Amino acid sequence: MKERVRILLPEEKVNARIAEIAQQISKDYEGQEVHLVSVLKGSVFFMCELAKRITVPVTMDFMSVSSYGNDTKSSGVVRIVKDLDEPLEGKNVLVVEDIIDSGRTLSYLLEILGKRGPKSLRLCTLLDKPERRVTQVAVDYTCFNIPDEFVVGYGLDYAQKYRNLPFIGIVEFE
Ligand code: IMP
Ligand code: MG
């Protein structure tokens, strides 16, 4: 299937919004440290841009879960492919996600991470498609709510492609 990508959110708009969210996070965690947990691979671009703009001390760790194949639909099956390197005990954990769609991945992940004794556990996402929610998750920081369209860029992929686009685009299938 051939596809085209149409710009939904240009780079400047994304970066400006990330700066706002980073400012909010810096305020909320004032006088404390924040431990960013990135869900690979989609959230790495967002995580870097966010981390650069947070003014309280930041540490980072990465994990990888799989819920999607090379398709645009959730399988509902979530598997830890790569676990975190560091324990979460006593830390202010902020999970950084690229997009929340059905919510299945995140509700499962937050449940697992919550059992590891963090001091606090919050969720920050670049994008949210609220219309698509199947499992409820409490999102603490959202950069953009978007319509029910399949998007790529800024770390998000379609069949592993387009992650490097500097903007968020909608995939249009011909
Ligand atoms: P959920 O479990 O349905 O919330 O799925 C979340 C994950 O699905 C995200 O972390 C992405 O990896 C993937 N995903 C959901 N919607 C999109 C999209 O529009 N573009 C690219 N990946 C998506
Ligand atoms: Mg993801």
Side-chain angles (χ1 to χ4, degrees):
M1 203 174 353
K2 272 207 74 184
E3 70 271 355
R4 294 187 325 141
V5 179
R6 179 167 55 84
I7 297 181
L8 174 68
L9 300 163
E11 186 174 15
E12 308 73 56
K13 200 170 164 183
V14 177
N15 289 343
R17 181 64 182 143
I18 293 175
E20 278 179 13
I21 293 291
Q23 200 176 22
Q24 184 63 50
I25 290 170
S26 304
K27 214 175 122 206
D28 294 350
Y29 290 89
E30 210 180 320
Q32 305 183 73
E33 291 183 15
V34 60
H35 187 63
L36 303 181
V37 166
S38 159
V39 186
L40 295 169
K41 306 171 182 132
S43 70
V44 283
F45 289 66
F46 173 42
M47 165 101 134
C48 293
E49 296 307 318
L50 185 71
K52 286 195 281 184
R53 293 167 173 87
I54 294 175
T55 54
V56 297
V58 163
T59 52
M60 296 180 211
D61 206 346
F62 299 86
M63 74 187 298
S64 179
V65 298
S66 97
S67 64
Y68 272 74
N70 283 348
D71 205 347
T72 57
K73 279 219 311 265
S74 177
S75 63
V77 179
V78 182
R79 186 168 62 92
I80 294 186
V81 177
K82 181 218 172 295
D83 207 339
L84 298 170
D85 293 335
E86 309 284 337
L88 298 182
E89 206 161 340
K91 291 177 181 158
N92 290 311
V93 175
L94 181 59
V95 176
V96 178
E97 248 296 35
D98 50 356
I99 188 163
I100 301 175
D101 184 30
S102 71
R104 284 193 186 103
T105 311
L106 261 294
S107 66
Y108 171 82
L109 208 65
L110 290 175
E111 201 187 308
I112 292 179
L113 301 182
K115 288 181 184 153
R116 298 185 184 181
K119 184 179 170 200
S120 66
L121 180 60
R122 286 187 184 166
L123 173 60
C124 177
T125 189
L126 177 61
L127 305 171
D128 191 348
K129 292 191 222 174
E131 285 171 55
R132 300 257 310 163
R133 202 70 92 252
V134 174
T135 308
Q136 285 315 311
V137 279
V139 191
D140 300 283
Y141 305 98
T142 304
C143 292
F144 300 97
N145 282 320
I146 59 163
D148 180 12
E149 304 267 15
F150 198 82
V151 291
V152 292
Y154 224 96
L156 290 126
D157 74 300
Y158 170 63
Q160 298 303 324
K161 289 187 295 180
Y162 306 116
R163 289 192 196 276
N164 59 316
L165 294 179
F167 54 84
I168 310 278
I170 293 176
V171 181
E172 293 176 330
F173 299 98
E174 280 158 18

